[in-house]
Amino acid sequence: MNADAENLAEIESAALLEAVYRRWHYDFRGYAPETVRRRLDQARAALDEPTLSTLQGRVLRDTAAFARLLDFLTIQVSDFFRDPPYWRAVQTHVLPFLRTFPFARVWVAGCGDGEEVYSLAILLHEAGLLERTLLYASDVNPDALRRAEAGIYPVERVAGFSHNYREAGGAASLSDYYVASYGRAAFDATLRRNVVFADHSLATDGVFSEVQFVSCRNVLIYFGRTLQDRALDLC
């Protein structure tokens, strides 16, 4: 891409993000520029628009088109017990800390489709802490929140979930926590009994709640430095 084309792409990207903020009140202006540009281009191609400028005109007027754009801008690639050493560290350092409280509050910011929420709920259950812990699971994407609350995943993903669970030091078998049928794995509703799913933006909203532990690792990597600092101040 030559300098003129690069400059035009930056202008179009900034204009689209500003338009989305002013029209729909979702703020992606502080996201890492390279990441957001890549996702905008993916959305443009998926919606069969020739330029970001034409995409902007469409998402300003078409609710369904904006919903599709939102999926591209908020997509979070995750798995149950993603990065097992992290979860072993949670068991070693976080769970003993939470045990010191008669009732603990935990916030999973940017919960996406819920994989991290259920992973944490399973570990809390195995530690005997789930019944005295309230988990807040927040995201800016309402469709992702609905999928997270449903707790249903394609069954072909479960083998990977189970491998991560074993590597993370799970105390049982992951199959104890779900029922598989018709190509889907539905996780036990008791895991979300103490979970509050809520719409919340780290870019625009205020403090969510007073909590003892915050997990926001799925979103910080997509933020620019200024937005990272804002998110950390909220936590």
PDB file of all heavy atoms in Angstrom, residues 44-69:
ATOM      1  N   ARG A  44     -15.827  -5.147   6.015  1.00  0.00           N
ATOM      2  CA  ARG A  44     -16.128  -4.581   4.691  1.00  0.00           C
ATOM      3  C   ARG A  44     -16.274  -5.678   3.643  1.00  0.00           C
ATOM      4  O   ARG A  44     -17.221  -5.681   2.843  1.00  0.00           O
ATOM      5  CB  ARG A  44     -15.012  -3.609   4.289  1.00  0.00           C
ATOM      6  CG  ARG A  44     -15.192  -2.983   2.902  1.00  0.00           C
ATOM      7  CD  ARG A  44     -13.897  -2.421   2.375  1.00  0.00           C
ATOM      8  NE  ARG A  44     -12.852  -3.448   2.300  1.00  0.00           N
ATOM      9  CZ  ARG A  44     -12.809  -4.404   1.363  1.00  0.00           C
ATOM     10  NH1 ARG A  44     -13.757  -4.488   0.447  1.00  0.00           N
ATOM     11  NH2 ARG A  44     -11.827  -5.275   1.371  1.00  0.00           N
ATOM     12  N   ALA A  45     -15.337  -6.644   3.657  1.00  0.00           N
ATOM     13  CA  ALA A  45     -15.389  -7.735   2.686  1.00  0.00           C
ATOM     14  C   ALA A  45     -16.612  -8.627   2.924  1.00  0.00           C
ATOM     15  O   ALA A  45     -17.295  -9.029   1.974  1.00  0.00           O
ATOM     16  CB  ALA A  45     -14.105  -8.556   2.761  1.00  0.00           C
ATOM     17  N   ALA A  46     -16.900  -8.927   4.198  1.00  0.00           N
ATOM     18  CA  ALA A  46     -18.029  -9.800   4.513  1.00  0.00           C
ATOM     19  C   ALA A  46     -19.365  -9.169   4.123  1.00  0.00           C
ATOM     20  O   ALA A  46     -20.295  -9.868   3.715  1.00  0.00           O
ATOM     21  CB  ALA A  46     -18.025 -10.140   6.004  1.00  0.00           C
ATOM     22  N   LEU A  47     -19.439  -7.851   4.237  1.00  0.00           N
ATOM     23  CA  LEU A  47     -20.673  -7.143   3.890  1.00  0.00           C
ATOM     24  C   LEU A  47     -20.680  -6.682   2.434  1.00  0.00           C
ATOM     25  O   LEU A  47     -21.601  -5.977   2.012  1.00  0.00           O
ATOM     26  CB  LEU A  47     -20.861  -5.946   4.826  1.00  0.00           C
ATOM     27  CG  LEU A  47     -21.231  -6.325   6.269  1.00  0.00           C
ATOM     28  CD1 LEU A  47     -21.050  -5.150   7.210  1.00  0.00           C
ATOM     29  CD2 LEU A  47     -22.658  -6.839   6.337  1.00  0.00           C
ATOM     30  N   ASP A  48     -19.644  -7.092   1.704  1.00  0.00           N
ATOM     31  CA  ASP A  48     -19.565  -6.833   0.258  1.00  0.00           C
ATOM     32  C   ASP A  48     -19.641  -5.345  -0.070  1.00  0.00           C
ATOM     33  O   ASP A  48     -20.360  -4.912  -0.976  1.00  0.00           O
ATOM     34  CB  ASP A  48     -20.682  -7.586  -0.472  1.00  0.00           C
ATOM     35  CG  ASP A  48     -20.416  -7.714  -1.976  1.00  0.00           C
ATOM     36  OD1 ASP A  48     -19.230  -7.682  -2.361  1.00  0.00           O
ATOM     37  OD2 ASP A  48     -21.383  -7.826  -2.755  1.00  0.00           O
ATOM     38  N   GLU A  49     -18.859  -4.562   0.681  1.00  0.00           N
ATOM     39  CA  GLU A  49     -18.767  -3.131   0.417  1.00  0.00           C
ATOM     40  C   GLU A  49     -17.404  -2.818  -0.188  1.00  0.00           C
ATOM     41  O   GLU A  49     -16.382  -3.367   0.245  1.00  0.00           O
ATOM     42  CB  GLU A  49     -18.945  -2.331   1.707  1.00  0.00           C
ATOM     43  CG  GLU A  49     -20.336  -2.406   2.307  1.00  0.00           C
ATOM     44  CD  GLU A  49     -21.386  -1.695   1.447  1.00  0.00           C
ATOM     45  OE1 GLU A  49     -20.993  -0.881   0.597  1.00  0.00           O
ATOM     46  OE2 GLU A  49     -22.584  -1.978   1.648  1.00  0.00           O
ATOM     47  N   PRO A  50     -17.346  -1.932  -1.184  1.00  0.00           N
ATOM     48  CA  PRO A  50     -16.071  -1.670  -1.861  1.00  0.00           C
ATOM     49  C   PRO A  50     -15.070  -0.871  -1.029  1.00  0.00           C
ATOM     50  O   PRO A  50     -13.858  -1.030  -1.191  1.00  0.00           O
ATOM     51  CB  PRO A  50     -16.489  -0.889  -3.107  1.00  0.00           C
ATOM     52  CG  PRO A  50     -17.796  -0.252  -2.743  1.00  0.00           C
ATOM     53  CD  PRO A  50     -18.477  -1.230  -1.823  1.00  0.00           C
ATOM     54  N   THR A  51     -15.563  -0.013  -0.133  1.00  0.00           N
ATOM     55  CA  THR A  51     -14.669   0.824   0.670  1.00  0.00           C
ATOM     56  C   THR A  51     -15.215   0.951   2.089  1.00  0.00           C
ATOM     57  O   THR A  51     -16.392   0.662   2.361  1.00  0.00           O
ATOM     58  CB  THR A  51     -14.544   2.245   0.081  1.00  0.00           C
ATOM     59  OG1 THR A  51     -15.818   2.917   0.197  1.00  0.00           O
ATOM     60  CG2 THR A  51     -14.109   2.206  -1.388  1.00  0.00           C
ATOM     61  N   LEU A  52     -14.374   1.434   2.994  1.00  0.00           N
ATOM     62  CA  LEU A  52     -14.833   1.694   4.354  1.00  0.00           C
ATOM     63  C   LEU A  52     -15.839   2.845   4.387  1.00  0.00           C
ATOM     64  O   LEU A  52     -16.710   2.896   5.252  1.00  0.00           O
ATOM     65  CB  LEU A  52     -13.652   2.019   5.260  1.00  0.00           C
ATOM     66  CG  LEU A  52     -12.688   0.870   5.568  1.00  0.00           C
ATOM     67  CD1 LEU A  52     -11.578   1.340   6.511  1.00  0.00           C
ATOM     68  CD2 LEU A  52     -13.422  -0.329   6.160  1.00  0.00           C
ATOM     69  N   SER A  53     -15.730   3.741   3.431  1.00  0.00           N
ATOM     70  CA  SER A  53     -16.677   4.858   3.370  1.00  0.00           C
ATOM     71  C   SER A  53     -18.083   4.371   3.046  1.00  0.00           C
ATOM     72  O   SER A  53     -19.069   4.830   3.641  1.00  0.00           O
ATOM     73  CB  SER A  53     -16.218   5.881   2.329  1.00  0.00           C
ATOM     74  OG  SER A  53     -15.013   6.503   2.739  1.00  0.00           O
ATOM     75  N   THR A  54     -18.193   3.433   2.102  1.00  0.00           N
ATOM     76  CA  THR A  54     -19.527   2.890   1.805  1.00  0.00           C
ATOM     77  C   THR A  54     -20.032   2.030   2.953  1.00  0.00           C
ATOM     78  O   THR A  54     -21.231   2.000   3.246  1.00  0.00           O
ATOM     79  CB  THR A  54     -19.515   2.074   0.502  1.00  0.00           C
ATOM     80  OG1 THR A  54     -18.615   0.963   0.627  1.00  0.00           O
ATOM     81  CG2 THR A  54     -19.085   2.937  -0.676  1.00  0.00           C
ATOM     82  N   LEU A  55     -19.117   1.343   3.628  1.00  0.00           N
ATOM     83  CA  LEU A  55     -19.513   0.577   4.810  1.00  0.00           C
ATOM     84  C   LEU A  55     -20.051   1.508   5.884  1.00  0.00           C
ATOM     85  O   LEU A  55     -21.050   1.203   6.549  1.00  0.00           O
ATOM     86  CB  LEU A  55     -18.312  -0.209   5.346  1.00  0.00           C
ATOM     87  CG  LEU A  55     -18.547  -0.999   6.636  1.00  0.00           C
ATOM     88  CD1 LEU A  55     -19.590  -2.092   6.438  1.00  0.00           C
ATOM     89  CD2 LEU A  55     -17.236  -1.603   7.142  1.00  0.00           C
ATOM     90  N   GLN A  56     -19.403   2.664   6.041  1.00  0.00           N
ATOM     91  CA  GLN A  56     -19.861   3.630   7.034  1.00  0.00           C
ATOM     92  C   GLN A  56     -21.297   4.064   6.759  1.00  0.00           C
ATOM     93  O   GLN A  56     -22.142   4.067   7.670  1.00  0.00           O
ATOM     94  CB  GLN A  56     -18.956   4.859   7.024  1.00  0.00           C
ATOM     95  CG  GLN A  56     -19.434   5.984   7.941  1.00  0.00           C
ATOM     96  CD  GLN A  56     -18.509   7.185   7.893  1.00  0.00           C
ATOM     97  OE1 GLN A  56     -17.294   7.038   7.826  1.00  0.00           O
ATOM     98  NE2 GLN A  56     -19.089   8.381   7.917  1.00  0.00           N
ATOM     99  N   GLY A  57     -21.597   4.401   5.521  1.00  0.00           N
ATOM    100  CA  GLY A  57     -22.952   4.817   5.189  1.00  0.00           C
ATOM    101  C   GLY A  57     -23.975   3.734   5.481  1.00  0.00           C
ATOM    102  O   GLY A  57     -25.084   4.012   5.952  1.00  0.00           O
ATOM    103  N   ARG A  58     -23.590   2.498   5.248  1.00  0.00           N
ATOM    104  CA  ARG A  58     -24.521   1.379   5.463  1.00  0.00           C
ATOM    105  C   ARG A  58     -24.779   1.128   6.944  1.00  0.00           C
ATOM    106  O   ARG A  58     -25.934   0.974   7.363  1.00  0.00           O
ATOM    107  CB  ARG A  58     -23.981   0.123   4.794  1.00  0.00           C
ATOM    108  CG  ARG A  58     -24.914  -1.072   4.872  1.00  0.00           C
ATOM    109  CD  ARG A  58     -24.399  -2.193   4.002  1.00  0.00           C
ATOM    110  NE  ARG A  58     -25.127  -3.422   4.210  1.00  0.00           N
ATOM    111  CZ  ARG A  58     -24.801  -4.583   3.664  1.00  0.00           C
ATOM    112  NH1 ARG A  58     -23.736  -4.652   2.845  1.00  0.00           N
ATOM    113  NH2 ARG A  58     -25.501  -5.673   3.907  1.00  0.00           N
ATOM    114  N   VAL A  59     -23.711   1.103   7.752  1.00  0.00           N
ATOM    115  CA  VAL A  59     -23.913   0.768   9.168  1.00  0.00           C
ATOM    116  C   VAL A  59     -24.587   1.909   9.930  1.00  0.00           C
ATOM    117  O   VAL A  59     -25.174   1.675  10.991  1.00  0.00           O
ATOM    118  CB  VAL A  59     -22.588   0.367   9.853  1.00  0.00           C
ATOM    119  CG1 VAL A  59     -21.975  -0.844   9.176  1.00  0.00           C
ATOM    120  CG2 VAL A  59     -21.609   1.522   9.902  1.00  0.00           C
ATOM    121  N   LEU A  60     -24.533   3.120   9.396  1.00  0.00           N
ATOM    122  CA  LEU A  60     -25.241   4.223  10.040  1.00  0.00           C
ATOM    123  C   LEU A  60     -26.751   4.077   9.908  1.00  0.00           C
ATOM    124  O   LEU A  60     -27.505   4.542  10.773  1.00  0.00           O
ATOM    125  CB  LEU A  60     -24.808   5.560   9.438  1.00  0.00           C
ATOM    126  CG  LEU A  60     -23.425   6.084   9.827  1.00  0.00           C
ATOM    127  CD1 LEU A  60     -23.127   7.384   9.111  1.00  0.00           C
ATOM    128  CD2 LEU A  60     -23.323   6.271  11.329  1.00  0.00           C
ATOM    129  N   ARG A  61     -27.198   3.392   8.853  1.00  0.00           N
ATOM    130  CA  ARG A  61     -28.626   3.313   8.560  1.00  0.00           C
ATOM    131  C   ARG A  61     -29.229   1.923   8.756  1.00  0.00           C
ATOM    132  O   ARG A  61     -30.445   1.794   8.858  1.00  0.00           O
ATOM    133  CB  ARG A  61     -28.864   3.757   7.112  1.00  0.00           C
ATOM    134  CG  ARG A  61     -28.515   5.213   6.872  1.00  0.00           C
ATOM    135  CD  ARG A  61     -28.536   5.583   5.401  1.00  0.00           C
ATOM    136  NE  ARG A  61     -28.282   7.009   5.207  1.00  0.00           N
ATOM    137  CZ  ARG A  61     -27.071   7.554   5.207  1.00  0.00           C
ATOM    138  NH1 ARG A  61     -26.001   6.781   5.374  1.00  0.00           N
ATOM    139  NH2 ARG A  61     -26.926   8.846   5.037  1.00  0.00           N
ATOM    140  N   ASP A  62     -28.401   0.917   8.784  1.00  0.00           N
ATOM    141  CA  ASP A  62     -28.874  -0.468   8.778  1.00  0.00           C
ATOM    142  C   ASP A  62     -28.477  -1.145  10.096  1.00  0.00           C
ATOM    143  O   ASP A  62     -27.301  -1.435  10.329  1.00  0.00           O
ATOM    144  CB  ASP A  62     -28.262  -1.203   7.575  1.00  0.00           C
ATOM    145  CG  ASP A  62     -28.783  -2.620   7.412  1.00  0.00           C
ATOM    146  OD1 ASP A  62     -29.330  -3.179   8.373  1.00  0.00           O
ATOM    147  OD2 ASP A  62     -28.626  -3.185   6.312  1.00  0.00           O
ATOM    148  N   THR A  63     -29.465  -1.396  10.951  1.00  0.00           N
ATOM    149  CA  THR A  63     -29.193  -2.003  12.259  1.00  0.00           C
ATOM    150  C   THR A  63     -28.548  -3.377  12.118  1.00  0.00           C
ATOM    151  O   THR A  63     -27.626  -3.727  12.873  1.00  0.00           O
ATOM    152  CB  THR A  63     -30.497  -2.141  13.068  1.00  0.00           C
ATOM    153  OG1 THR A  63     -31.094  -0.848  13.204  1.00  0.00           O
ATOM    154  CG2 THR A  63     -30.221  -2.716  14.449  1.00  0.00           C
ATOM    155  N   ALA A  64     -29.013  -4.169  11.160  1.00  0.00           N
ATOM    156  CA  ALA A  64     -28.462  -5.513  10.967  1.00  0.00           C
ATOM    157  C   ALA A  64     -27.010  -5.446  10.518  1.00  0.00           C
ATOM    158  O   ALA A  64     -26.170  -6.247  10.956  1.00  0.00           O
ATOM    159  CB  ALA A  64     -29.304  -6.287   9.946  1.00  0.00           C
ATOM    160  N   ALA A  65     -26.700  -4.485   9.649  1.00  0.00           N
ATOM    161  CA  ALA A  65     -25.312  -4.329   9.197  1.00  0.00           C
ATOM    162  C   ALA A  65     -24.417  -3.907  10.352  1.00  0.00           C
ATOM    163  O   ALA A  65     -23.278  -4.384  10.475  1.00  0.00           O
ATOM    164  CB  ALA A  65     -25.243  -3.304   8.063  1.00  0.00           C
ATOM    165  N   PHE A  66     -24.935  -3.024  11.209  1.00  0.00           N
ATOM    166  CA  PHE A  66     -24.128  -2.631  12.372  1.00  0.00           C
ATOM    167  C   PHE A  66     -23.888  -3.816  13.305  1.00  0.00           C
ATOM    168  O   PHE A  66     -22.793  -3.976  13.846  1.00  0.00           O
ATOM    169  CB  PHE A  66     -24.797  -1.499  13.147  1.00  0.00           C
ATOM    170  CG  PHE A  66     -24.095  -1.211  14.439  1.00  0.00           C
ATOM    171  CD1 PHE A  66     -22.824  -0.659  14.447  1.00  0.00           C
ATOM    172  CD2 PHE A  66     -24.685  -1.548  15.660  1.00  0.00           C
ATOM    173  CE1 PHE A  66     -22.150  -0.430  15.638  1.00  0.00           C
ATOM    174  CE2 PHE A  66     -24.013  -1.325  16.853  1.00  0.00           C
ATOM    175  CZ  PHE A  66     -22.749  -0.769  16.832  1.00  0.00           C
ATOM    176  N   ALA A  67     -24.909  -4.663  13.491  1.00  0.00           N
ATOM    177  CA  ALA A  67     -24.749  -5.838  14.354  1.00  0.00           C
ATOM    178  C   ALA A  67     -23.649  -6.747  13.815  1.00  0.00           C
ATOM    179  O   ALA A  67     -22.854  -7.307  14.586  1.00  0.00           O
ATOM    180  CB  ALA A  67     -26.068  -6.593  14.460  1.00  0.00           C
ATOM    181  N   ARG A  68     -23.568  -6.891  12.492  1.00  0.00           N
ATOM    182  CA  ARG A  68     -22.513  -7.716  11.911  1.00  0.00           C
ATOM    183  C   ARG A  68     -21.148  -7.060  12.097  1.00  0.00           C
ATOM    184  O   ARG A  68     -20.161  -7.730  12.401  1.00  0.00           O
ATOM    185  CB  ARG A  68     -22.789  -7.963  10.433  1.00  0.00           C
ATOM    186  CG  ARG A  68     -23.983  -8.863  10.168  1.00  0.00           C
ATOM    187  CD  ARG A  68     -23.954  -9.410   8.766  1.00  0.00           C
ATOM    188  NE  ARG A  68     -22.798 -10.288   8.560  1.00  0.00           N
ATOM    189  CZ  ARG A  68     -22.417 -10.737   7.361  1.00  0.00           C
ATOM    190  NH1 ARG A  68     -23.099 -10.397   6.284  1.00  0.00           N
ATOM    191  NH2 ARG A  68     -21.365 -11.515   7.244  1.00  0.00           N
ATOM    192  N   LEU A  69     -21.090  -5.751  11.918  1.00  0.00           N
ATOM    193  CA  LEU A  69     -19.838  -5.040  12.155  1.00  0.00           C
ATOM    194  C   LEU A  69     -19.397  -5.202  13.605  1.00  0.00           C
ATOM    195  O   LEU A  69     -18.203  -5.416  13.881  1.00  0.00           O
ATOM    196  CB  LEU A  69     -20.007  -3.556  11.828  1.00  0.00           C
ATOM    197  CG  LEU A  69     -18.814  -2.642  12.173  1.00  0.00           C
ATOM    198  CD1 LEU A  69     -17.586  -3.013  11.351  1.00  0.00           C
ATOM    199  CD2 LEU A  69     -19.190  -1.174  11.961  1.00  0.00           C
TER     200      LEU A  69
END
